[in-house]
């Protein structure tokens, strides 16, 4: 299934993208695509309904495909070729950091360039949405705790991230730095999360091309690994790392985002995003 949330920011309603391309209202079935509604029981309830029996709904705005994200966990340097372009060695264990949930926006919302920013960058990533509580889970059991997958743009301000002291969070958490969606594709429709093509363009120029097969640490390993350090809850989102082609890795001179540019990005089977960069608002 492809689940999404439609409507104004903060007032999104749950919907289903049917196989015939129509959008169907899920308000009478679930309260939101969030929390316990991401568990197998709720998803099976949706799955059992004939989409044609649900009311049609329009899409003036597509919101983040997950509501009320509890934790936004990111994995750094998880593609060996991306680590190389940044001048770093592939890590022996997953590098984890957090992105503020106030960064979450819809897949086509504007992305703000922060005040004083000189190095705002792009990162297409596979997002993993947790559907069942996970604490000390094995790698063999890890994927049963996943509700589904989505596209994430892990927008980053590199100077804030690496030149302003401390850890990476401050460079990852500006408002609008976490577009998620357009859809949550349930795990039963993703045969192999380790064989998905990813891409990102800036102003129509291809910047990133990759495949999740080149991840250093795969999805099952990441879910299991993270669950050793914190309890993962339904609605938590894991951004699993980015392939090469980020702005900071461009040689001989890095390239960063300016206002008025357009990012388009997508993942095989998971949909596409489109964002225009604007100056930060109050």
């Amino acid at each position: 299934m492809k689940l999404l949330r439609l409507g104004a920011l903060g007032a999104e309603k749950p919907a289903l993208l049917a196989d015939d391309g129509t959008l169907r209202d899920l308000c009478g079935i679930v309260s939101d695509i969030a929390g316990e509604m991401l568990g197998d029981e709720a998803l099976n309830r949706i799955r059992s309904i004939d989409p044609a029996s649900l009311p049609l709904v329009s899409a003036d705005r597509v919101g983040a495909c997950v509501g009320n994200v509890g934790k936004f966990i990111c994995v750094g340097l998880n593609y060996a070729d991306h680590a190389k372009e940044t001048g770093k060695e592939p890590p022996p264990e997953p590098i984890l950091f957090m992105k503020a949930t106030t960064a979450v926006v819809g897949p086509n919302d504007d992305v703000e360039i922060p005040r004083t920013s000189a190095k705002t960058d792009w990162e297409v990533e596979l997002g993993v949405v947790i559907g069942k509580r996970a604490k000390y889970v094995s790698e063999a059991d890890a994927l049963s705790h996943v509700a589904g997958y989505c596209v994430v743009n892990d927008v980053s301000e590199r100077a804030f991230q690496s030149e302003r002291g401390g850890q990476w969070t401050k460079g990852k958490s500006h408002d609008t730095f976490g577009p998620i969606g357009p859809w949550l594709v349930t795990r039963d429709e993703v045969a192999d999360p380790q064989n998905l093509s990813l891409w990102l363009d800036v102003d129509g120029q291809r910047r990133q091309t990759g495949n999740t097969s080149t991840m250093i640490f795969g999805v099952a390993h990441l879910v299991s690994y993270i669950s050793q350090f914190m309890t993962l809850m339904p609605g938590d989102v894991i951004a699993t790392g980015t392939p090469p082609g980020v702005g900071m890795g461009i040689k001989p001179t890095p390239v960063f985002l300016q206002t008025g540019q357009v990012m388009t990005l997508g993942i095989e089977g998971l949909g596409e995003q489109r964002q225009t960069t604007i100056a930060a608002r109050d």
Side-chain angles (χ1 to χ4, degrees), residues 72-79 82-83 91 93-99 123-128 152 154 156 158 161 168 172 215-219 221-226 230 232 237-243:
F72 199 161
I73 306 160
C74 301
V75 182
L77 303 178
N78 196 30
Y79 288 71
H82 171 57
E93 293 190 37
I95 296 172
L96 305 181
F97 60 93
M98 308 296 280
K99 196 175 191 77
E123 292 190 13
V124 59
E125 306 201 4
L126 173 65
V128 178
V152 173
D154 177 20
S156 309
R158 302 301 189 187
Q161 176 184 354
W168 290 1
K172 299 283 189 171
M215 281 183 183
I216 299 170
F217 306 106
V219 172
H221 182 86
L222 291 173
V223 172
S224 174
Y225 181 88
I226 295 168
M230 65 189 83
L232 293 169
V237 175
I238 303 169
T240 58
T242 198

Side-chain angles (χ1 to χ4, degrees), residues 45-126:
R45 186 163 69 248
I46 298 171
R47 196 174 282 115
S48 69
I49 297 169
D50 179 4
S53 69
L54 298 169
L56 290 166
V57 63
S58 60
D60 294 331
R61 174 183 175 272
V62 179
C65 62
V66 182
N68 299 318
V69 174
K71 293 190 287 295
F72 199 161
I73 306 160
C74 301
V75 182
L77 303 178
N78 196 30
Y79 288 71
D81 36 12
H82 171 57
K84 182 178 179 180
E85 74 176 346
T86 66
K88 296 180 173 63
E89 292 294 322
E93 293 190 37
I95 296 172
L96 305 181
F97 60 93
M98 308 296 280
K99 196 175 191 77
T101 55
T102 48
V104 174
V105 289
N108 304 315
D109 290 342
D110 293 337
V111 165
E112 295 184 3
I113 304 294
R115 295 176 184 177
T116 75
S117 169
K119 297 181 179 181
T120 298
D121 206 346
W122 55 83
E123 292 190 13
V124 59
E125 306 201 4
L126 173 65

Side-chain angles (χ1 to χ4, degrees), residues 235-255:
D236 287 349
V237 175
I238 303 169
T240 58
T242 198
V246 298
M248 66 183 256
I250 295 174
K251 304 293 191 297
T253 305
V255 175

Side-chain angles (χ1 to χ4, degrees), residues 149-171:
Y149 304 92
C150 62
V151 182
V152 173
N153 190 354
D154 177 20
V155 185
S156 309
E157 212 299 339
R158 302 301 189 187
F160 296 178
Q161 176 184 354
S162 301
E163 301 169 20
R164 298 288 297 273
Q167 298 179 339
W168 290 1
T169 302
K170 70 178 73 170

Side-chain angles (χ1 to χ4, degrees), residues 1 3 14-16 24-33 37 41-51 53-55:
M1 293 185 298
L3 305 175
L16 168 74
R24 300 288 174 164
D25 189 352
L26 286 175
C27 287
I29 311 302
V30 293
S31 58
D32 200 355
I33 309 301
M37 295 299 102
E41 182 178 350
L43 294 179
N44 285 334
R45 186 163 69 248
I46 298 171
R47 196 174 282 115
S48 69
I49 297 169
D50 179 4
S53 69
L54 298 169

Side-chain angles (χ1 to χ4, degrees), residues 126-198:
L126 173 65
V128 178
V129 180
I130 298 300
K132 182 172 69 174
R133 180 181 181 273
K135 182 176 182 180
Y136 296 120
V137 299
S138 68
E139 189 166 336
D141 189 44
L143 294 186
S144 71
H145 294 261
V146 171
Y149 304 92
C150 62
V151 182
V152 173
N153 190 354
D154 177 20
V155 185
S156 309
E157 212 299 339
R158 302 301 189 187
F160 296 178
Q161 176 184 354
S162 301
E163 301 169 20
R164 298 288 297 273
Q167 298 179 339
W168 290 1
T169 302
K170 70 178 73 170
K172 299 283 189 171
S173 293
H174 188 81
D175 292 354
T176 75
F177 270 24
I180 298 176
W183 319 304
L184 166 68
V185 180
T186 52
R187 72 174 187 270
D188 59 300
E189 292 197 3
V190 179
D192 183 2
Q194 301 310 144
N195 187 26
L196 299 173
S197 297
L198 309 84

